Amino acid sequence: MDIRKVGVVGAGQMGNGIAHVMAVAGYDVLLNDINQEALDKGLGVIKSNMDRMVSRDKMKAEDRDAALSRITTTLDLPELGKTDLVVESATERETVKQAIFEDLVPHLGPDTILTSNTSSISITRLASRTDRPEKFMGFHFMNPVPVMQLVELIRGIATDKPTYDACLAVVEKLGKTAASSEDFPAFIVNRILMPMINEAVYTLYEGVGSVTSIDTSMKLGTNHPMGPLELADFIGLDTCLAIMNVLHDGLADTKYRPCPLLTKYVEAGWLGRKTGRGFYDYRGDEPVPTR
């Protein structure tokens, strides 16, 4: 399967990062979102990140310009039907993802590969709602996409080998490393990471330690670059809660029960960095713990 043009659904934090690395690797990219403001913001982030790479001598200015020229945008989802590979990177809600694929399928070429950047949702179930479950798989990038080296490749029960091999070749062309995961809730990275973050929230909830002491303990005691609560804010507390719910519902084990404090923060709209408040308050010059 010769992949030359890639469609990316969603111009948010993950989507613009995926568009960035695909364009740098030489793919033509068609970036889609539901409103022009999101597309403009996504393109602005891509250009800003590439400018930073140029200023740090990690990219040549002419390579930046060439990569940016390979990215076009559209508000019309069916336009992505003319691409060879589609990477869906919309919000982590299954109903939203299903609706996107259902709208897209009638416009696809027979050989177009469909993938989802979902961090936890069943690939088999998403694939079953399309006309090509054998050409559907999970393509899970880590955040921030231009920096992180890992991509999880998740095969659904019907995914065929040519589809897997084609996606593996894309990962290698991106200069990243692939890890293959079976299609079980939250795959590998989040199956391990999210319960750790959830346990950190329980540690806060039960008064064992403050936000500062928990994050400092994990940074200095286990050499993590970010504390778990700081990381949760970076990921988005709504995303963390969604993944914990997928684990809890999918595996029916009480050890995956989301901490009530995590639920409370999400209900308050304190979702982390993207809303200005989470376990830290980001509205001032320096982040300040909220508990």
Side-chain angles (χ1 to χ4, degrees), residues 197-206 229 259 261-262 279:
I197 287 175
N198 195 50
E199 194 62 29
V201 183
Y202 266 115
T203 305
L204 178 65
Y205 175 63
E206 294 169 3
L229 301 176
C259 179
L261 184 61
L262 177 60
F279 293 112

Side-chain angles (χ1 to χ4, degrees), residues 8-21 23 29-52 67-68 71-75 89 145-146:
V8 180
V9 183
Q13 190 174 40
M14 296 301 294
N16 70 58
I18 294 167
H20 173 139
V21 298
V29 178
L30 185 56
L31 181 62
N32 163 262
D33 211 300
I34 57 174
N35 64 71
Q36 191 62 46
E37 183 182 358
L39 287 174
D40 293 343
K41 183 178 179 182
L43 275 179
V45 170
I46 293 169
K47 185 177 186 308
S48 175
N49 287 339
M50 288 188 184
D51 287 345
R52 189 179 304 113
L68 288 171
I71 302 173
T72 54
T73 64
T74 180
L75 294 170
S89 189
V145 179

Side-chain angles (χ1 to χ4, degrees), residues 160-193:
D160 63 23
K161 190 174 187 298
T163 297
Y164 175 84
D165 290 344
C167 289
L168 178 60
V170 171
V171 175
E172 291 171 348
K173 188 172 179 179
L174 296 178
K176 296 186 184 294
T177 300
S180 296
S181 171
E182 293 300 316
D183 184 23
F184 290 103
F187 318 131
I188 295 172
V189 172
N190 283 317
R191 172 76 175 262
I192 297 167
L193 174 64

